[in-house]
Amino acid sequence: MIHGSAPAGLSATEAAARLAADGPNELPHHGQRSRLRIIADVLKEPMLALLLGAGVIYMALGDATEALVLLGFACLSIIITVAQEARAERALDALRDLTSPRALVIRDGQHRRIPGREVVRGDLVLLGEGDRVPADGMLIEGQALSADESLLTGESVPVAKTVATGDAPTAMARPGGDGLPFLFSGSLVVAGSGIIRVLATGAGSEIGRIGRELQSIETEAPRLFRQTRRLVWWMALVGGAATLACILLYGLLRGDWLEAALAGIALGMSMLPEEFPVVLTVFMAMGALRMSRVNVLTRRAAAIETLGAATVLCTDKTGTLTENRMRIAQLRLPDGQQAEADAAMAGDDFARLAALGLLASAQRPVDPMEQAFHDLAQGTAALGALRPPGWALQRLYPFSPDLLAMTQIWGAEASGDWLAAAKGAPEAIGALCRLDDGAMAELKAAVDAMAGSGLRVLGVAQARWPAGTPLPDAMTGLDFSFAGLVGLADPLRASVPDAVRQCREAGIRVVMITGDYPQTARAIAAQAGIEGDRLLTGAELAAMDDAELARALPGVTVFARIMPEQKLRLVNALKAGGAVVAMTGDGVNDAPSLKAAHIGIAMGGRGTDVAREASSLVLLDDDFGSIVAAVRLGRRINDNLRKAMGFIVAVHIPIAGLALLPLLMGMPMLLGPIHIAFIEMIIDPVCSLAFEAETDEPNLMQRPPRAPDAPLFSRALLGWAVLQGVLTLAAIVGLALWLWQQGLPDTQVRTAAFIALVLGALGLVLINRSFNASLADALLRPNLPLAIVAGVVAAILAATQLIPPIARLFDFTALNMALLLPILGGSAAMMAALEAIKPTWRRSLTV
């Protein structure tokens, strides 16, 4: 500690020179893409190009309404992408806010309050309780100062700081651990006061290092969008080739190039899957809404589907598996008697032990462990007996690196003896009590037994001192007697064991990654039901190269004493092994691993802004059980999305077939651009959206996650979709050919084909509602959107038959019952055939 005259600090000139040389105390701003550049990059996306191309086609055809709808979707895509770009930058902005609070410094011998960004190396910064540390530094003066470094370490228990001595190291140590003379940017002073000399600012600080890592990590393109993009490109290429071939063949064979162009446009439109981006957007938006109902906020919509495919769930301990609320769980007396806290308070000796722990704690506690003593012993008779009315705190002996214990002296001037209450590390308390080797061995055995149950153990002692007599310079001058041990626990959340069990049944491996001690981590993992005997510590991990770590990972489910950068290494190693990784976190130290994981899950209650901005999902209630609910929803959404996509492929086959039929059969055009536009832009998307409301498949959480490289369209699903489309096309084509050969007018054939196509599309919706349920079950299961769809379809068909202007717009004519009956019979026969074939595909569809 510095003695003598008050330190003068830097001069204003020195500070200005260092600020100019090192730059401001904030994370560096890197060049960002301009809004125009972002829009230009978005326009290269095939999905958006498809929307714009379809819009241009509709505009060329004079259909301004449909063109504006498609162009509206295109503009919405651009807005969403620009917003996501800005969101990515907000993670760094949040870090900049943390690293730039206002600071009280000593400049030219005067106290000055300056913006945190103006703090420089060598500055002397004054800190008090509640202050945010503006830069990394060494404590050169201090009084009982402790800091909450959970932003950097993930551990919520504050750590005590000591004043640097003459032989203190000059290089910064890592955050965490009692007895260090270093404080870190972004941490919070929870008790005491002091002065630090700044050693590192901005990007050179510990939080700056995390910021550099965060900035260097590229967020992976979501698998769902990559797969959909490939599918759209392939279908667009096939559609383009078919359009060109249709125009050439039609023009060469019939000589009418205008009609050939219309036929080619109709065929191309029938094959372009413009519903895909619409359905994908709506499914993700509705999924985000459903997630919010189970207390999960969706920040990146694609993570919903990815979460349903997660194979590994990495979770921290404090606050996620546990309640992040310390409480006294067990008390143990010197003679070995022990009791749970609530029952123990009925006994005088146990109550006295709890009251001594309170008297060794701060009167207005910030430390969660000290709060636990107040919660248990405040207002008890034992406390009143130990600290009579009128007694006050006479002296505090704080923690020191040489003795991890603290003592508070209580008494009054007129009292006989004062009471000294001490608490701290059990071995430190044992030393204060001058226990012999045998007693110390018994103490260690008791501590190990309590720690093996997941408890954090403190020792408690007491001493007496004559009132008014000068107190010794150190607490070691007091004659202490051992009072007992206190075990504190951060209780496991009630929902965790069942949630872990559900994860295990769903084929998801739960891995705990914590900075806590191995014994505590192992005990909490056992309580949670996280299986696995092997535990890996941060020190063991640091000694492994990547190949050794890859071999060790499959057998480890608990990682203890893990440093922040090691979390990122573990996530990358799991990803390299082919796992789809979900990662939970709350602190600044978790941000890089949250961003690197396939699904980053931040805590909404206690999580930092940095963690939330780097994540894909945010747990609003910080409850691990909400993750399992989100996994269930993710799997359901993926199932329903596959059903919708399969339906879209299936229904495009009869649409394309009817557009191509006139060319092959010499028939008049059955479907023009307006018919196809109407079917694709109104009926198909609406029918597809009905799938979003479908309930869970029966085996949803009992089947393993999809393989990481599994395509959105498996061969089985694609085959099933093609089979449905071909059978539907065959039924409609058979009907149209029969009517044409009967010599019916073109308008009647066109009308019958259109009605059969619409009914066939509705039948395909019913067939695809479930991979497992029968058609009869599908008809009975409630689905309000589907009921609305059916009503809309019925109204549309009725309008084409009963309202002359609409009939003329579509070039339709009214059909009599003699024509309607074959249409209905053909649709029913098609559905019956598919229902008979469906059981042979069920097993492969649900894998």
Side-chain angles (χ1 to χ4, degrees), residues 456-793:
R456 189 183 294 267
V457 185
L458 294 178
V460 178
Q462 64 175 327
R464 292 287 177 174
W465 189 262
T469 304
L471 288 162
D473 292 335
M475 68 181 91
T476 52
L478 297 166
D479 186 16
F480 281 101
S481 60
F482 183 60
L485 297 173
V486 178
L488 296 103
D490 185 0
L492 193 72
R493 290 182 180 270
S495 63
V496 167
D498 183 61
V500 171
R501 177 190 58 78
Q502 291 185 55
C503 285
R504 190 165 56 248
E505 291 178 354
I508 301 171
R509 177 183 166 210
V510 180
V511 174
M512 180 200 291
I513 303 175
T514 179
D516 212 335
Y517 292 96
Q519 285 178 312
T520 304
R522 194 187 299 275
I524 293 296
Q527 295 173 27
I530 298 175
E531 297 180 338
D533 297 328
R534 189 176 175 195
L535 179 146
L536 197 67
T537 65
E540 292 169 332
L541 177 63
M544 293 180 174
D545 59 26
D546 291 343
E548 291 173 323
L549 178 59
R551 289 192 296 270
L553 275 179
V556 181
T557 53
V558 179
F559 295 87
R561 305 304 286 169
I562 296 296
M563 299 297 291
E565 67 275 10
Q566 291 177 322
K567 294 184 179 182
L568 178 59
R569 186 184 176 197
L570 285 171
V571 168
N572 289 332
L574 288 165
K575 288 169 61 177
V580 177
V581 181
M583 173 76 186
T584 71
D586 58 355
V588 172
N589 62 304
D590 295 322
S593 53
L594 288 172
K595 189 175 180 181
H598 294 105
I599 313 108
I601 307 171
M603 302 297 112
R606 72 179 193 282
T608 62
D609 288 341
V610 182
R612 286 192 288 268
E613 293 295 342
S615 66
S616 306
L617 304 173
V618 178
L619 298 186
L620 299 179
D621 57 0
D622 291 4
D623 192 346
F624 183 83
S626 297
I627 301 176
V628 179
V631 169
R632 176 180 289 276
L633 272 174
R635 290 191 173 193
R636 168 184 164 178
I637 290 167
N638 180 74
D639 273 358
N640 291 342
L641 183 61
R642 291 173 67 232
K643 295 171 187 176
M645 294 295 193
F647 163 77
I648 291 171
V649 171
V651 83
H652 267 271
I653 292 174
I655 295 173
L658 290 178
L660 190 60
L661 182 64
L663 177 63
L664 300 177
M665 300 293 184
M667 298 172 62
M669 285 183 60
L670 295 179
L671 297 181
I674 189 172
H675 305 112
I676 297 173
F678 183 80
I679 292 172
E680 293 191 352
M681 294 308 301
I682 297 179
I683 296 178
D684 289 359
V686 172
C687 290
S688 300
L689 300 183
F691 287 110
E692 195 280 330
E694 286 298 328
T695 55
D696 301 354
E697 292 289 329
N699 63 341
L700 186 71
M701 291 297 284
Q702 281 72 49
R703 63 180 190 244
R706 298 191 323 277
D709 56 351
L712 178 64
F713 271 102
S714 64
R715 291 182 179 179
L717 180 61
L718 187 59
W720 175 234
V722 170
L723 177 62
Q724 294 177 81
V726 169
L727 286 179
T728 305
L729 175 62
I732 300 172
V733 167
L735 173 69
L737 283 174
W738 176 68
L739 294 176
W740 183 51
Q741 290 173 353
Q742 296 297 315
L744 269 65
D746 294 351
T747 54
Q748 284 192 329
V749 176
R750 180 178 299 109
T751 304
F754 181 82
I755 292 176
L757 179 59
V758 172
L759 291 178
L762 191 56
L764 291 175
V765 172
L766 297 176
I767 290 292
N768 285 280
R769 283 191 66 187
S770 173
F771 292 137
N772 293 288
S774 65
L775 180 59
D777 292 334
L779 289 170
L780 295 175
R781 286 167 59 184
N783 186 323
L784 180 60
L786 181 56
I788 294 173
V789 165
V792 170
V793 170

Side-chain angles (χ1 to χ4, degrees), residues 107-197:
R107 295 264 178 95
D108 293 315
Q110 302 293 320
H111 292 186
R112 296 183 183 178
R113 182 76 66 177
I114 64 173
R117 69 188 306 273
E118 296 179 10
V119 173
V120 299
R121 285 183 303 105
D123 256 329
L124 299 182
V125 180
L126 288 83
L127 297 171
E129 185 173 327
D131 286 342
R132 183 76 65 179
V133 181
D136 291 2
M138 179 182 291
L139 187 66
I140 60 173
E141 290 189 13
Q143 178 66 34
L145 190 148
S146 61
D148 178 357
E149 296 179 349
S150 59
L151 287 174
L152 300 170
T153 65
E155 293 304 313
S156 58
V157 178
V159 290
K161 299 296 178 178
T162 60
V163 175
T165 58
D167 58 351
T170 57
M172 295 292 294
R174 300 305 305 275
D178 289 305
L180 294 174
F182 301 108
L183 284 98
F184 299 89
S185 178
S187 59
L188 183 69
V189 177
V190 298
S193 60
I195 301 175
I196 64 167
R197 176 178 289 114

Side-chain angles (χ1 to χ4, degrees), residues 46-47 222-235 273 276-277 280 641 645 712-713:
M47 283 190 188
R223 182 181 57 177
L224 177 64
F225 285 88
R226 293 199 307 268
Q227 293 183 354
T228 308
R229 187 184 300 124
R230 284 199 302 269
L231 181 63
V232 169
W233 266 116
W234 276 109
M235 295 191 73
F276 279 178
L280 191 60
L641 183 61
M645 294 295 193
L712 178 64
F713 271 102

Side-chain angles (χ1 to χ4, degrees), residues 43-311:
L43 291 175
K44 298 175 184 177
E45 292 294 319
M47 283 190 188
L48 187 61
L50 188 63
L51 284 173
L52 292 174
V56 170
I57 291 173
Y58 284 123
M59 190 67 75
L61 293 173
D63 194 336
T65 302
E66 298 299 340
L68 290 175
V69 169
L70 285 174
L71 293 174
F73 276 122
C75 292
L76 182 61
S77 297
I78 294 174
I79 292 170
I80 290 173
T81 305
V82 172
Q84 287 177 336
E85 181 79 10
R87 176 186 294 162
E89 285 299 313
R90 285 202 295 271
L92 289 175
D93 291 340
L95 269 176
R96 295 184 187 108
D97 291 341
L98 280 176
T99 55
S100 192
R102 294 189 66 80
L104 182 62
V105 300
I106 302 175
R107 295 264 178 95
D108 293 315
Q110 302 293 320
H111 292 186
R112 296 183 183 178
R113 182 76 66 177
I114 64 173
R117 69 188 306 273
E118 296 179 10
V119 173
V120 299
R121 285 183 303 105
D123 256 329
L124 299 182
V125 180
L126 288 83
L127 297 171
E129 185 173 327
D131 286 342
R132 183 76 65 179
V133 181
D136 291 2
M138 179 182 291
L139 187 66
I140 60 173
E141 290 189 13
Q143 178 66 34
L145 190 148
S146 61
D148 178 357
E149 296 179 349
S150 59
L151 287 174
L152 300 170
T153 65
E155 293 304 313
S156 58
V157 178
V159 290
K161 299 296 178 178
T162 60
V163 175
T165 58
D167 58 351
T170 57
M172 295 292 294
R174 300 305 305 275
D178 289 305
L180 294 174
F182 301 108
L183 284 98
F184 299 89
S185 178
S187 59
L188 183 69
V189 177
V190 298
S193 60
I195 301 175
I196 64 167
R197 176 178 289 114
V198 174
L199 301 180
T201 62
S205 66
E206 180 69 16
I207 202 170
R209 180 189 63 77
I210 295 173
R212 294 196 305 273
E213 286 184 357
L214 185 61
Q215 198 167 42
S216 67
I217 297 171
E218 294 293 333
T219 303
E220 294 185 12
R223 182 181 57 177
L224 177 64
F225 285 88
R226 293 199 307 268
Q227 293 183 354
T228 308
R229 187 184 300 124
R230 284 199 302 269
L231 181 63
V232 169
W233 266 116
W234 276 109
M235 295 191 73
L237 290 174
V238 172
T243 299
L244 182 60
C246 179
I247 293 174
L248 291 175
L249 290 173
Y250 207 109
L252 291 174
L253 293 176
R254 300 193 180 187
D256 189 339
W257 289 97
L258 179 58
E259 189 173 345
L262 291 174
I265 290 173
L267 180 61
M269 290 171 58
S270 71
M271 299 185 71
L272 293 178
E274 61 264 31
E275 303 95 340
F276 279 178
V278 176
V279 170
L280 191 60
T281 300
V282 172
F283 264 65
M284 294 301 104
M286 290 300 297
L289 178 61
R290 293 184 188 278
M291 288 283 187
S292 68
R293 293 171 182 166
V294 294
N295 294 313
V296 179
L297 176 66
T298 304
R299 299 191 63 260
R300 294 182 179 87
I304 296 172
E305 186 274 340
T306 310
L307 183 61
T311 59

